[in-house]
Amino acid sequence: MAAGGRAPEPRVLVCLGALLAGWVAVGLEAVVIGEVHENVTLHCGNISGPRGLVTWYRNDSEPVFLLSSNSSLLPAEPRFSLVNVSSLHIEALSLQDEGNYTCREILNVTQWFQVWLQVASGPYQIEVHISATSTLPNGTLYAAKGSQVEFSCNSSSWPPPMVEWWFQALNSSSEFFGHNLTVNSFSLLLMSPNLQGNYTCLALNLLSRRHRKVTTELLVYYPPPSAPQCRAQMASGFFMLQLTCRWDGGYPDPNFLWIEEPGGVIVGKSKLGVEMLNKSQLSDGKKFKCAASHVVGPEAGASCVVQIRSPSVLSEPMKTCFVGGNVTLTCQVSGAYPPAKILWLRNLTQPEVITQPSSHHLITQDGQNSTLTIHNCSQDLDEGYYVCRADNPVGVREVDIWLSVKEPLNIGGIVGTIVSLLLLGLATISGLMLYYSPVLCWKVGNTFRGQNMDDVMVLVDSEEEEEEEEEEDAAAEEEEGAQEREEFPKEIPKQNHIHRVTALVNGNIEQMGNGFQDLQEEPLLLAELKPGRPHQFDWKSSCETWSVAFSPDGSWFAWSQGHCIVKLIPWPLEEQFIPKGFEAKSRSSKNETKGRGSPKEKTLDCGQIVWGLAFSPWPSPPSRKLWARHHPQVPDVSCLVLATGLNDGQIKIWEVQTGLLLLNLSGHQDVVRDLSFTPSGSLILVSASRDKTLRIWDLNKHGKQIQVLSGHLQWVYCCSISPDCSMLCSAAGEKSVFLWSMRSYTLIRKLEGHQSSVVSCDFSPDSALLVTASYDTNVIMWDPYTGERLRSLHHTQVDPAMDDSDVHISSLRSVCFSPEGLYLATVADDRLLRIWALELKTPIAFAPMTNGLCCTFFPHGGVIATGTRDGHVQFWTAPRVLSSLKHLCRKALRSFLTTYQVLALPIPKKMKEFLTYRTF
Ligand SMILES: *[C@@H]1O[C@H](CO)[C@@H](O)[C@H](O)[C@H]1NC(C)=O
Ligand SMILES: *[C@@H]1O[C@H](CO)[C@@H](O)[C@H](O)[C@H]1NC(C)=O
Ligand SMILES: *[C@@H]1O[C@H](CO)[C@@H](O)[C@H](O)[C@H]1NC(C)=O
Ligand SMILES: *[C@@H]1O[C@H](CO)[C@@H](O)[C@H](O)[C@H]1NC(C)=O
Ligand SMILES: *[C@@H]1O[C@H](CO)[C@@H](O)[C@H](O)[C@H]1NC(C)=O
Ligand SMILES: *[C@@H]1O[C@H](CO)[C@@H](O)[C@H](O)[C@H]1NC(C)=O
Ligand SMILES: *[C@H]1O[C@@H](CO)[C@H](O)[C@@H](O)[C@@H]1NC(C)=O
């Protein structure tokens, strides 16, 4: 057979094939594995050594010529080429290239070699599906615990790949899940936290040993097993409330949302579930809801609610201990949430002293009950007031306990008390002498004189005045009809101003015996001031005189005369130093100096309708210095100030001597209806407003607002501070009267009894009584220490037969105590100014008064000032009495003894009843 340059004949090839078949069986073939799209080189036998003529065939069913080293023969395809004269190089393999290849080499002998070419492809892309899972925003998958999860993995390759699943949990080595050439999916039936980790699918081409893998992280989430827990606790030393919401046991951590209930105001949103609230966000009974949500938790979420409550405190009001013995005071706190801190205090004076546990004082607390045990009682050390205070961020409540320490034999105590009572009596008599010094005596009639050209002063002591009154009456009747006259009791002589109900006084005054002998003075209208027409008449301003006030020393009278103007009038009205001629001159020029050094009238333009008025007591020296520093223009003189409460919620503070505006206090959102200064001279001002709050201001600190008292649901009409500065009374539209502690600015108690808005309140001069007046026509007299209702004074028409119309015809407007504490004056809508003696349930005297709004007694007695809707003020004579020694004693004692303290005194029951105003 000729070797050489010609392509072999097909016939030859067929016989070659037969040869090859036999030869291959000898087992000299090689196997080469190629990859699709890549190149492969098939060697023809031994690569080294001399090479002869090499020819390559493909032998499928029969040999096909591919290529020869004889360059005259072209390769069957351009992909084929010879390398190193003998090897077959195939470019860009495809799967069709797989098969057996044969090469023939002709040297001095002819040799045949066979190569088996296998072509592999892939694996290429791996597709992993993990079903019944969800995807986090960052792309990570998660499945709920307990759910069933299907894993599947697909990849294409030739030959088909082997697919393996591997699993790796956190911080552990990979775990082999098994491989299966045909099945590449599996299920996990119950997912559990230990199945959280990385799942890897690996596809391997067994022919080429090439592989690819895909790793997927799968998280296993589960909600907390039980319901969330809500808790409120005190934080940051009782000034903050910490709300905590716990919902443990789930993965990942839940989200918490605290909201106010009802209303849904969002308090805060966090992963921790902890929110801090300050006191201003808290009120008694408020509810907070924690809404917890978990990614695989219930759709609606889970929630819990806390309701915060201020404490209520219960204790026995009085305790007795024998000298040398032991006594236990108990204090039960209930309703407080979060639980209250319970403190025992001594010393009613400021600063308060907290009782610390010692060998003398043993304090135990069991839950919310606290006991204070005092060992070895001694009269000097231990007798007195104990205050149990329960404090949580929602509120503070305190209760007073009076501890009296007695000698086992009581005679000494009785004698001591009687002696001290006698001494007190003597002291009060001497006080009485000073009190009724002739300086303050009144001369009716020639005492008053016009102060300002703007004001018309009407002197009411003669026939001439009566005529004027009648004229006015006539004018009023034209407007209001004839019925008006009928509203006056028939007994009242029309031409006079006061009627004395002799029937009531008969037999009673003598019976009282003490203090009423002096009642011969008839309450007469002494003078009436009317505002002059303002220069620019502003119809927006109203003309009511909502308040009148005397300065505590009696040297000034403040009159809110409507149209935003307050007049400060020196008192007494008469100025004896000024000759008649000079007075005329002073009328002509308003701002001219009147007397040599004597105070002159001031006009304060408040810019807003004035509702409340209050004079400060004479201030203590440091306050003046502060003001002088703050307002360098203010001369360093004794600084009596007047506070004015305005329509827009502002409070303006004026210096009385100069008429200068000192301070402007803002905070109230609505009309400031009433004002009250602490009588102690500490320049603490309380304001009552239609914005339903009371605010406490410290004028020594440039009018800093130190407290807001909230709790009223309606407009607050009035506020009054007890003369001993311990209590504050406030009354509002919602019928209840609130008593606040002026030590802690917390609510002591609510007094319930009125049927309608309570518009006026006043304490007796010894702080032992509180009177309140309401639109329901009743004045109620309370014991402020016990909250007991001592009596009520009903304002019916004097002749009940005539009153068949409107109940509110006798709505009350104002009530005030006389300075010696024996009388009350009331102003009602039935056009009567009534004067009541404390012990009688019917008025002892009354006077006709139209459109009355307010009343106040002159601080040294003898005069009542009233203000009207028309902007007028009237001055009336008030009963001037010499208090009985009994009453003076009572007044002196009650100025520093509370009701409980009186009840603890070792004195007869009758005396206790008298001292506590149960009897008169
Ligand atoms: C295959 O061979 C051709 C020609 O020798 C070369 O150009 C190409 O890069 C090679 N391909 C690979 C994948 O090696
Ligand atoms: C190639 O030869 C081997 C035996 O040497 C045989 O098993 C194989 O099936 C052949 N391949 C093809 C594609 O014919
Ligand atoms: C995706 O978020 C989850 C939860 O926040 C976290 O556990 C995981 O590691 C995150 N994955 C990536 C890839 O950031
Ligand atoms: C593959 O899985 C199927 C079904 O589970 C099983 O019958 C078969 O034996 C497995 N094959 C291998 C190689 O594991
Ligand atoms: C899974 O793999 C990612 C990326 O390699 C890694 O950050 C993560 O920690 C792994 N998770 C576990 C549970 O091993
Ligand atoms: C008072 O208490 C103390 C201590 O518990 C006790 O030793 C003492 O006997 C008690 N005194 C009286 C009078 O009970
Ligand atoms: C080929 O045959 C071998 C032995 O079989 C010899 O050794 C070689 O020399 C010979 N070569 C040639 C060119 O004949």
Side-chain angles (χ1 to χ4, degrees):
M1 186 180 287
R6 271 192 210 172
E9 292 292 311
R11 260 186 297 109
V12 177
L13 290 178
V14 171
C15 96
L16 260 178
L19 268 172
L20 282 174
W23 184 75
V24 162
V26 177
L28 287 171
E29 89 273 32
V31 176
V32 170
I33 294 164
E35 185 82 13
V36 172
H37 304 311
E38 290 182 3
N39 301 342
V40 73
T41 303
L42 310 180
H43 300 295
C44 184
N46 197 357
I47 316 168
S48 55
R51 308 271 45 171
L53 180 66
V54 174
T55 308
W56 280 93
Y57 302 93
R58 166 105 188 245
N59 51 327
D60 293 324
S61 47
E62 56 188 48
V64 177
F65 170 77
L66 297 177
L67 171 96
S68 165
S69 59
N70 181 346
S71 54
S72 62
L73 293 173
L74 289 172
E77 276 185 63
R79 294 193 293 134
F80 303 129
S81 57
L82 268 185
V83 181
N84 298 332
V85 198
S86 65
S87 300
L88 173 65
H89 183 78
I90 308 173
E91 282 175 36
L93 276 181
S94 67
L95 287 176
Q96 284 73 36
D97 292 325
E98 190 169 85
N100 287 322
Y101 291 78
T102 312
C103 86
R104 184 192 65 187
E105 184 176 29
I106 304 169
L107 216 52
N108 46 11
V109 290
T110 299
Q111 282 186 302
W112 296 87
F113 301 97
Q114 188 175 3
V115 180
W116 184 8
L117 174 64
Q118 292 181 325
V119 181
S121 90
Y124 299 108
Q125 202 171 330
I126 301 186
E127 282 174 28
V128 168
H129 288 286
I130 304 179
S131 65
T133 57
S134 311
T135 314
L136 289 176
N138 65 14
T140 305
L141 298 180
Y142 66 89
K145 179 181 167 185
S147 65
Q148 178 178 344
V149 177
E150 313 270 354
F151 297 79
S152 77
C153 182
N154 281 307
S155 179
S156 60
S157 78
W158 181 260
M162 185 183 73
V163 175
E164 295 175 347
W165 276 101
W166 294 80
F167 167 67
Q168 183 174 24
L170 188 64
N171 301 329
S172 65
S173 57
S174 277
E175 187 183 330
F176 185 51
F177 263 27
H179 57 82
N180 195 317
L181 290 174
T182 55
V183 176
N184 52 16
S185 64
F186 65 97
S187 300
L188 294 174
L189 292 178
L190 271 176
M191 286 307 284
S192 65
N194 56 17
L195 290 172
Q196 168 174 311
N198 284 334
Y199 288 84
T200 302
C201 173
L202 182 137
L204 174 70
N205 189 321
L206 289 173
L207 193 57
S208 63
R209 307 306 298 180
R210 295 194 181 193
H211 72 271
R212 267 171 200 271
K213 60 180 178 182
V214 167
T215 299
T216 311
E217 184 172 21
L218 178 65
L219 304 174
V220 179
Y221 281 177
Y222 46 97
S226 53
Q229 304 286 319
C230 284
R231 195 153 51 104
Q233 67 203 107
M234 294 189 256
S236 317
F238 301 93
F239 291 112
M240 305 281 280
L241 182 78
Q242 180 181 318
L243 295 176
T244 311
C245 191
R246 301 285 305 266
W247 199 28
D248 293 341
Y251 175 78
D253 290 333
N255 286 311
F256 298 101
L257 178 69
W258 276 102
I259 43 186
E260 275 183 36
E261 284 249 292
V265 177
I266 292 176
V267 177
K269 196 173 176 176
S270 69
K271 276 243 158 243
L272 280 175
V274 177
E275 298 295 335
M276 297 295 257
L277 299 176
N278 59 32
K279 276 191 172 176
S280 65
Q281 294 168 276
L282 310 177
S283 61
D284 192 15
K286 210 173 192 178
K287 284 182 184 168
F288 294 94
K289 175 172 157 182
C290 167
S293 60
H294 190 273
V295 61
V296 293
E299 191 101 333
S303 64
C304 53
V305 174
V306 284
Q307 183 173 28
I308 54 170
R309 289 217 161 273
S310 61
S312 4
V313 193
L314 218 100
S315 178
E316 61 273 69
M318 290 163 49
K319 272 289 206 179
T320 307
C321 180
F322 290 107
V323 171
N326 300 338
V327 70
T328 298
L329 312 181
T330 62
C331 176
Q332 287 177 14
V333 179
S334 56
Y337 191 79
K341 182 176 76 167
I342 306 173
L343 287 179
W344 289 92
L345 308 176
R346 250 339 269 285
N347 279 7
L348 297 172
T349 54
Q350 286 177 347
E352 290 164 339
V353 179
I354 293 170
T355 308
Q356 302 292 351
S358 63
S359 60
H360 187 56
H361 291 128
L362 179 70
I363 297 176
T364 59
Q365 189 172 339
D366 169 26
Q368 290 277 279
N369 295 337
S370 180
T371 60
L372 168 68
T373 304
I374 300 159
H375 291 294
N376 193 9
C377 288
S378 95
Q379 217 150 15
D380 298 339
L381 274 179
D382 298 321
E383 185 162 78
Y385 251 140
Y386 290 78
V387 179
C388 168
R389 173 185 294 176
D391 191 351
N392 77 2
V394 191
V396 187
R397 293 287 181 279
E398 30 182 60
V399 66
D400 299 336
I401 303 171
W402 171 256
L403 177 68
S404 53
V405 179
K406 291 183 180 173
E407 291 287 350
L409 255 185
N410 227 349
I411 296 161
I414 293 169
V415 171
T417 312
I418 290 169
V419 167
S420 53
L421 281 177
L422 279 174
L423 286 174
L424 269 169
L426 282 173
T428 36
I429 289 169
S430 20
L432 187 72
M433 307 305 237
L434 294 171
Y435 179 73
Y436 284 100
S437 59
V439 177
L440 302 162
C441 277
W442 280 88
K443 282 176 234 140
V444 175
N446 57 358
T447 322
F448 298 89
R449 212 168 281 155
Q451 298 294 307
N452 191 306
M453 57 176 249
D454 285 352
D455 306 320
V456 180
M457 163 110 6
V458 186
L459 298 179
V460 189
D461 62 337
S462 62
E463 307 294 315
E464 153 197 343
E465 203 286 323
E466 286 164 17
E467 282 163 28
E468 210 176 302
E469 273 284 300
E470 276 186 46
E471 275 166 34
E472 272 184 45
D473 276 0
E477 274 161 20
E478 267 172 43
E479 286 172 16
E480 300 187 5
Q483 93 205 30
E484 178 187 307
R485 196 159 301 185
E486 283 179 5
E487 284 176 13
F488 287 92
K490 287 204 176 82
E491 298 94 322
I492 300 177
K494 209 165 67 71
Q495 73 277 23
N496 208 346
H497 315 98
I498 192 73
H499 170 72
R500 205 164 144 200
V501 188
T502 39
L504 293 169
V505 179
N506 268 352
N508 274 330
I509 286 185
E510 280 75 24
Q511 189 184 317
M512 296 303 120
N514 35 44
F516 295 99
Q517 306 92 331
D518 219 20
L519 204 66
Q520 72 278 4
E521 267 180 272
E522 294 266 308
L524 294 173
L525 183 61
L526 296 171
E528 182 165 17
L529 304 181
K530 298 177 180 176
R533 185 173 292 272
H535 293 301
Q536 316 124 292
F537 202 81
D538 181 4
W539 285 102
K540 279 181 284 180
S541 327
S542 56
C543 60
E544 290 94 345
T545 293
W546 289 107
S547 295
V548 288
F550 283 104
S551 68
D553 64 344
S555 63
W556 290 91
F557 175 71
W559 166 30
S560 148
Q561 59 165 223
H563 308 295
C564 315
I565 301 295
V566 173
K567 275 278 159 69
L568 275 169
I569 301 168
W571 195 266
L573 292 180
E574 184 201 34
E575 293 176 292
Q576 283 105 336
F577 322 109
I578 305 170
K580 297 252 177 208
F582 190 80
E583 181 199 319
K585 201 175 139 204
S586 79
R587 280 168 182 251
S588 62
S589 94
K590 190 175 162 185
N591 290 326
E592 201 176 313
T593 321
K594 272 183 185 173
R596 294 153 297 263
S598 72
K600 59 177 188 202
E601 183 183 304
K602 305 277 171 349
T603 302
L604 311 178
D605 185 352
C606 297
Q608 284 281 333
I609 300 169
V610 182
W611 292 77
L613 285 179
F615 276 103
S616 70
W618 283 91
S620 43
S623 64
R624 290 208 301 272
K625 276 185 209 146
L626 279 173
W627 270 343
R629 200 165 58 213
H630 195 52
H631 295 273
Q633 77 274 19
V634 177
D636 188 24
V637 292
S638 51
C639 192
L640 176 70
V641 302
L642 175 73
T644 54
L646 307 182
N647 201 56
D648 62 351
Q650 301 267 326
I651 299 165
K652 287 193 165 152
I653 309 291
W654 309 83
E655 188 184 4
V656 172
Q657 294 291 337
T658 60
L660 286 175
L661 178 64
L662 292 179
L663 290 170
N664 212 339
L665 314 181
S666 6
H668 279 300
Q669 307 297 313
D670 206 340
V671 172
V672 176
R673 186 67 185 78
D674 199 13
L675 293 164
S676 185
F677 271 100
T678 49
S680 65
S682 55
L683 286 176
I684 301 290
L685 175 68
V686 178
S687 56
S689 162
R690 283 192 182 169
D691 69 8
K692 302 168 192 170
T693 65
L694 293 129
R695 288 170 201 249
I696 320 274
W697 314 84
D698 190 347
L699 300 196
N700 277 329
K701 296 180 180 154
H702 309 311
K704 186 179 166 224
Q705 177 182 310
I706 51 178
Q707 194 82 20
V708 179
L709 306 181
S710 41
H712 279 298
L713 305 173
Q714 303 283 338
W715 292 356
V716 189
Y717 283 102
C718 63
C719 59
S720 177
I721 301 175
S722 65
D724 66 0
C725 298
S726 68
M727 285 172 284
L728 166 69
C729 166
S730 68
E734 75 257 15
K735 304 175 192 172
S736 42
V737 176
F738 285 22
L739 265 182
W740 309 83
S741 162
M742 281 298 282
R743 287 182 268 132
S744 58
Y745 299 125
T746 55
L747 186 67
I748 301 172
R749 64 174 59 89
K750 297 181 187 178
L751 305 176
E752 312 280 355
H754 281 297
Q755 306 301 316
S756 185
S757 300
V758 188
V759 289
S760 182
C761 54
D762 197 15
F763 280 97
S764 66
D766 55 6
S767 307
L769 292 175
L770 170 69
V771 287
T772 55
S774 161
Y775 286 159
D776 69 5
T777 75
N778 280 326
V779 165
I780 299 185
M781 194 190 293
W782 311 84
D783 184 328
Y785 295 105
T786 62
E788 235 171 296
R789 183 172 163 166
L790 299 182
R791 62 182 56 203
S792 42
L793 310 175
H794 191 51
H795 285 61
T796 46
Q797 294 280 301
V798 174
D799 182 356
M802 280 165 25
D803 181 28
D804 52 4
S805 50
D806 190 4
V807 179
H808 293 290
I809 203 140
S810 334
S811 284
L812 282 162
R813 293 282 164 186
S814 189
V815 64
C816 54
F817 253 107
S818 68
E820 77 294 324
L822 283 172
Y823 295 101
L824 292 176
T826 59
V827 172
D829 280 355
D830 63 358
R831 304 174 184 217
L832 288 178
L833 166 68
R834 288 175 173 80
I835 298 188
W836 309 71
L838 282 195
E839 51 272 69
L840 299 180
K841 291 199 172 180
T842 42
I844 55 159
F846 35 97
M849 182 197 167
T850 314
N851 287 339
L853 283 180
C854 52
C855 65
T856 187
F857 269 89
F858 180 64
H860 305 307
V863 172
I864 302 171
T866 54
T868 73
R869 270 187 196 286
D870 318 310
H872 301 183
V873 290
Q874 293 127 354
F875 299 98
W876 311 82
T877 57
R880 280 183 72 73
V881 290
L882 214 63
S883 303
S884 66
L885 181 57
K886 252 169 91 182
H887 176 66
L888 287 173
C889 264
R890 171 168 65 184
K891 204 175 134 188
L893 274 173
R894 290 310 307 274
S895 298
F896 62 93
L897 287 184
T898 70
T899 304
Y900 290 126
Q901 285 168 313
V902 169
L903 293 177
L905 290 177
I907 52 173
K909 191 171 168 235
K910 271 195 152 176
M911 215 158 152
K912 285 185 190 174
E913 282 175 349
F914 175 77
L915 286 175
T916 56
Y917 290 89
R918 267 56 176 179
T919 60
F920 289 89

